[in-house]
Amino acid sequence: MKIVIIGASAAGISAAKTIKSTKPDTEIVIISKEDRIHSRCMLHKFLGHERDAQGISFVNEDFFEKNNITLLNNTTVIGLEPDKKIVKTHDNQDISYDKLLIATGASYFIPPIPGLRESKNVYGFRDLKDAQLLDTECLTAKNAVVIGAGLVGMDAVAALLERGLKVTVIEMTADIMSLQLDKKSAQAYQQLFEKEGAEFILNDKVVSVDVNAVGRGEMVHLASGKAVPADVIVIAAGVRPAFRFVEESEIKTNHAILVGDDLQTNINGIYAAGDVNGIAGIWPNAMKQGKIAALNMLGENLRYDDRYALKNTMNFYGLTTLSLGNINPEDEEKCDIFTREDRNNYQKIVIRNGIIQGVIMQGNINGSGFWQYLIKNKIDVSGINKDIFDLSFADFYGINQENGEYNYAV
Ligand SMILES: Cc1cc2nc3c(=O)[nH]c(=O)nc-3n(C[C@H](O)[C@H](O)[C@H](O)COP(=O)(O)OP(=O)(O)OC[C@H]3O[C@@H](n4cnc5c(N)ncnc54)[C@H](O)[C@@H]3O)c2cc1C
């Protein structure tokens, strides 16, 4: 059997590894538009000169050769013909398959703001290529503007500060990393970044960019009337699943490629795993999906039920935070919110109708698996008469007073 995988990242490589360890004689062709394999989660280490390109690769250099996998790198898929079982590439190759895995992830989005798309010095922060281009800019740039203070934006900020640039961060919401953090935990990071020299302009947005005679953006104008000089601009204002090449096929999509619980698309034999199916935009889930799709392509009938995406860990300047679930519920007045803090730690738990909705652990993140279990399995904690922060699995075991049976409430 010949399996073609489009995309050589978390989902694609995990699928290839699974196939080779399950049925080693399966022929695998991986098509990737990038030059080399790398972890996006470590791009900031490359840009900050902490690691080189090989240092952020998550496979050994001989991975493909050793596993007898054909890698077509620097090759972009531009179309599919599912009835002929053919993938079409930018350089006019028609590559046949028996089963196909689409693992093309997502790409960054540049909002249609006057001057922004036209400026030559505007970069995303998604691929090694972006980081390499930014690396070159850092040789001469003095002022950087980062648009968007989500996790990706803050990775870029950390690296640009490391390179000695003056960095201004522009964010529409009132706090940085507002999807992952609440005000208090966000401010802890903001202060650390400010100590390193970053400037934050919050509750504001870019309305236009002045482009100079050589096509480079040099002044970023904000809705508030402020103007910020920029030698280089990083855009980190969201991503879109990358599936343009399926648009003329019959594969069903909405904002992402639609898949069933088995990660198969509406076309038999074509699967989609990772960010491209929009189920969960984080690395471990992409890997898990790659594995499940691979096993299903080999004939298993496994379900992917981990639609629990909201788990984030971060570490900037030695401060670690884990956030799980919904930590900023819209209906806050219907929730019970508990916080606990000391000099080095901050914890928050959000409970609605006895069920934990979200948890933040900043500082010490030990025991986070327990909270993840409670959230994912919607365990009712309302009957437990104890400080919520002191709960453990032991609190869910007990002996039925009537018949002596052990009860397991989780
Ligand atoms: C800066 C940054 C930091 C991050 N930090 C974290 C983190 O700390 N923790 C975490 O869990 N997640 C993090 N993420 C998210 C995580 O990287 C993604 O969830 C994960 O990479 C998704 O893997 P994937 O295999 O689905 O897709 P991707 O990693 O996006 O890979 C898709 C691959 O397909 C290729 N491709 C796309 N279109 C085509 C085409 N038409 N033809 C050929 N090849 C194509 C792409 O070039 C790419 O190599 C981060 C992301 C970024 C950008």
Side-chain angles (χ1 to χ4, degrees):
M1 178 160 63
K2 180 178 177 186
I3 293 181
V4 170
I5 298 172
I6 315 174
S9 185
I13 296 290
S14 152
K17 282 185 180 169
T18 306
I19 294 163
K20 281 294 173 183
S21 62
T22 312
K23 275 199 182 159
D25 56 345
T26 310
E27 183 184 352
I28 301 181
V29 177
I30 303 189
I31 309 171
S32 171
K33 68 178 182 186
E34 290 181 280
D35 187 32
R36 50 189 305 153
I37 313 302
H38 59 276
S39 164
R40 286 160 223 297
C41 314
M42 292 219 233
L43 279 183
H44 60 291
K45 293 194 185 267
F46 174 84
L47 182 58
H49 283 185
E50 223 179 294
R51 289 182 183 219
D52 62 10
Q54 183 53 33
I56 64 164
S57 171
F58 62 98
V59 294
N60 291 333
E61 277 190 276
D62 61 354
F63 172 78
F64 296 97
E65 199 185 326
K66 208 165 155 190
N67 289 290
N68 196 19
I69 294 170
T70 305
L71 172 68
L72 301 177
N73 58 348
N74 298 311
T75 305
T76 302
V77 171
I78 55 164
L80 298 182
E81 289 187 19
D83 46 336
K84 294 190 191 150
K85 293 195 163 186
I86 277 174
V87 167
K88 300 182 95 56
T89 68
H90 78 284
D91 52 355
N92 298 320
Q93 296 185 65
D94 284 354
I95 296 161
S96 64
Y97 61 83
D98 297 311
K99 298 264 167 82
L100 176 67
L101 176 64
I102 301 173
T104 46
S107 30
Y108 65 84
F109 170 73
I110 304 184
I113 292 169
L116 196 61
R117 285 184 181 169
E118 299 87 314
S119 297
K120 286 181 189 158
N121 52 340
V122 172
Y123 302 93
F125 198 55
R126 177 87 198 170
D127 298 330
L128 181 59
K129 185 88 185 296
D130 300 323
Q132 285 167 331
L133 292 168
L134 279 166
D135 188 34
T136 307
E137 291 279 3
C138 283
L139 298 176
T140 51
K142 290 195 167 37
N143 296 306
V145 168
V146 175
I147 304 172
L151 258 183
V152 170
M154 296 316 296
D155 268 1
V157 174
L160 292 166
L161 289 170
E162 191 64 36
R163 295 295 298 278
L165 274 72
K166 178 173 181 340
V167 185
T168 306
V169 187
I170 297 159
E171 166 58 45
M172 278 167 65
T173 61
D175 296 295
I176 67 173
M177 296 184 280
S178 57
L179 287 179
Q180 294 83 19
L181 303 175
D182 67 347
K183 193 170 244 341
K184 185 165 176 60
S185 49
Q187 282 179 349
Y189 280 116
Q190 186 175 331
Q191 281 163 13
L192 290 174
F193 276 96
E194 281 167 345
K195 256 194 202 159
E196 297 296 315
E199 190 179 322
F200 289 88
I201 302 179
L202 304 173
N203 285 316
D204 210 343
K205 58 181 185 184
V206 177
V207 289
S208 68
V209 176
D210 291 344
V211 185
N212 68 16
V214 290
R216 293 175 64 88
E218 57 182 14
M219 189 63 80
V220 177
H221 294 278
L222 308 185
S224 60
K226 288 182 184 145
V228 186
D231 301 313
V232 61
I233 300 169
V234 177
I235 181 85
V239 293
R240 305 270 187 276
F243 59 83
R244 227 177 44 209
F245 59 91
V246 309
E247 274 167 4
E248 283 177 24
S249 74
E250 308 88 71
I251 293 178
K252 287 196 177 140
T253 61
N254 50 14
H255 69 284
I257 293 186
L258 291 169
V259 289
D261 287 343
D262 58 356
L263 301 178
Q264 193 165 203
T265 67
N266 59 309
I267 309 275
N268 204 14
I270 302 185
Y271 293 74
D275 286 8
V276 75
N277 65 25
I279 296 174
I282 56 171
W283 187 275
N285 293 41
M287 282 184 65
K288 189 168 170 189
Q289 288 178 26
K291 183 174 176 184
I292 286 180
L295 291 170
N296 285 345
M297 287 193 285
L298 296 178
E300 301 264 358
N301 187 14
L302 301 173
R303 314 268 117 193
Y304 179 79
D305 58 7
D306 196 355
R307 289 176 188 257
Y308 174 79
L310 300 170
K311 176 188 175 192
N312 284 285
T313 33
M314 64 188 80
N315 185 329
F316 294 105
Y317 305 115
L319 180 62
T320 305
T321 303
L322 175 94
S323 88
L324 298 166
N326 185 1
I327 38 81
N328 288 315
E330 276 173 22
D331 57 350
E332 211 176 89
E333 67 291 346
K334 293 189 187 148
C335 298
D336 296 314
I337 296 180
F338 301 90
T339 58
R340 176 150 95 173
E341 61 187 288
D342 59 33
R343 221 157 64 89
N344 301 316
N345 299 289
Y346 169 64
Q347 293 179 318
K348 172 174 173 173
I349 298 178
V350 179
I351 301 179
R352 189 197 297 119
N353 299 331
I355 309 293
I356 300 180
Q357 307 296 311
V359 171
I360 294 176
M361 300 172 80
Q362 190 165 63
N364 182 354
I365 64 166
N366 288 344
S368 60
F370 169 67
W371 299 108
Q372 194 173 340
Y373 185 92
L374 295 188
I375 298 174
K376 185 173 166 188
N377 294 292
K378 301 189 168 60
I379 305 295
D380 191 337
V381 296
S382 54
I384 296 172
N385 216 353
K386 188 175 182 183
D387 187 332
I388 186 81
F389 292 103
D390 295 331
L391 281 192
S392 73
F393 275 121
D395 294 301
F396 296 91
Y397 296 115
I399 296 178
N400 184 323
Q401 295 304 318
E402 280 170 24
N403 62 12
E405 260 180 4
Y406 280 105
N407 282 332
Y408 300 97
V410 291

